[in-house]
Amino acid sequence: MRYFNYLSSEEEKTLFYSKPVCFSNYSSKDILSHAVGAALYMPATRQQIAEEIVSGRVKGLVSMVLDLEDAIGEKQVGLAEESLYKQLYKVYSLLKSGSIDEDKLPLIFIRVRSPEQLDYMIKKLGEVIRIVTGFTLPKFSTENGRRYLETISNYNEKKETGFPTLYGMPILETSDVIYRESRTISLLGIKDLLEQYKEYVLNVRIGATDFSSLFGLRRGPDMTIYDIGVIRDCIADIINVFGRVEDQFVISGPVWEYFKSDRLLKPQLRETPFEDSAGSAGRKLRHEFINIYVDGLLREVTLDKENGIIGKTIIHPTHNLPVQSLYVVTHEEFLDATNMIANNNGSLGVFKSQYNNKMNEIKPHLNWANRILFRSQVYGVLHEHKNFTSLLIGQDEFVQEKAFV
């Protein structure tokens, strides 16, 4: 699997200064934790899962989450478990027969409802679990977290030779995390727990929809999650606890839940990056984004990145390419990062960027530079004068995809 693998060789040469690397379930945890990226959720009851995985119908699909929790009705649980097994068994059978290549499979995650269901699904899947990268662990807390992580740890200690590591992705979304009086002790308790099982923790995910529900809130399509003060404050504390460089946790951002509506307020998405990319074609693309509310999504992902968050839960195929494109490293970022690392020998403290537009101070910016270089491996580096919209020009058909919810 590789980001933007649908591009032709000529398109890659035109767009990328450095292409994304390939990865699979067997890649290092560091690579996979960044590669989760835009994780497309779909209900585990969906009958086309195997077909969509094998056919590659969703352009650029790299990671997906098959949901046994909130997307499933209480009376559908047994049906969903059985349906999910059948769909993944189809994919695994095609893999074993050689009908599909393993390196073409997206990263597959399953969101379970409880530690008990996690244990049940691992046993039910049997050898089919080989194509599963991990499980997302909802309502994660110090009360249920150890049972979740012990189950994953026990599986990995006993797994068959040649099977990839199975990971967990805890979702922080409970009242004890967002309520001010309990937040600090809860976050520190969760962090202590995750440190004990760190080799199996791929991402720390933020469940802002559940957080918002506790206050009867829901952000509008012209707002970002950072515009809701109580959620913003909680995210800031999550980043403060889990986002420290020395701890090396990767934090993934909350879901963007809008995909089509009528505009009520003035668009806030700037025209400049679109026009810089392709003139009138760029303006046309911007108009399509505005019509499907991707402008709000782009602003939110930009704020995610500025706050050190890499990854986003998505619920619609039209979100896939825009989110992925924003994670690609620009040529300017790459030059700044590589030059800082190259000059980190004590002979220089600060220098002017090659783009002649900023000061690069080595010591304060070195951690940033290292993060940029790591992201550049997974998502690639664009050529000079290219930006995220360059990856979207000519990809108009993505707006025609149907929702999975």
Side-chain angles (χ1 to χ4, degrees), residues 230-267:
V230 69
I231 311 298
R232 179 193 61 235
D233 292 348
C234 183
I235 292 175
D237 285 344
I238 291 172
I239 294 169
N240 197 314
V241 172
F242 293 99
R244 303 173 192 184
V245 170
E246 64 266 23
D247 294 327
Q248 296 185 325
F249 286 108
V250 174
I251 305 172
S252 182
V255 64
W256 176 263
E257 56 196 25
Y258 294 97
F259 52 88
K260 188 175 182 180
S261 185
D262 296 322
R263 174 157 299 279
L264 298 177
L265 302 178
K266 181 180 179 181

Side-chain angles (χ1 to χ4, degrees), residues 168-182:
M169 298 197 297
I171 308 174
L172 307 186
E173 54 186 349
T174 54
S175 60
D176 59 302
V177 171
I178 195 167
Y179 288 171
R180 178 173 290 237
E181 65 271 22
S182 56

Side-chain angles (χ1 to χ4, degrees), residues 323-391:
V323 173
Q324 292 178 354
S325 299
L326 277 168
Y327 296 143
V328 180
V329 173
T330 66
H331 186 257
E332 180 177 350
E333 289 173 323
F334 186 71
L335 286 188
D336 284 341
T338 53
N339 284 336
M340 276 187 260
I341 291 171
N343 286 290
N344 184 34
N345 53 20
S347 61
L348 194 64
V350 64
F351 61 92
K352 183 171 62 173
S353 73
Q354 284 188 234
Y355 272 67
N356 295 314
N357 61 358
K358 72 176 76 65
M359 172 191 74
N360 284 333
E361 196 169 358
I362 296 174
K363 286 185 179 179
H365 294 141
L366 195 59
N367 286 332
W368 170 87
N370 285 320
R371 282 188 167 182
I372 287 294
L373 289 190
F374 207 95
R375 181 154 57 92
S376 74
Q377 294 181 55
V378 177
Y379 297 97
V381 180
L382 292 169
H383 277 302
E384 189 177 4
H385 305 308
K386 300 291 185 182
N387 60 45
F388 73 95
T389 64
S390 304
L391 287 157

Side-chain angles (χ1 to χ4, degrees), residues 269-288:
L269 186 61
R270 293 185 302 113
E271 295 184 14
T272 305
F274 292 87
E275 293 184 351
D276 286 349
S277 292
S280 61
R283 287 190 292 273
K284 178 176 181 288
L285 183 64
R286 178 179 181 274
H287 178 70
E288 289 173 349

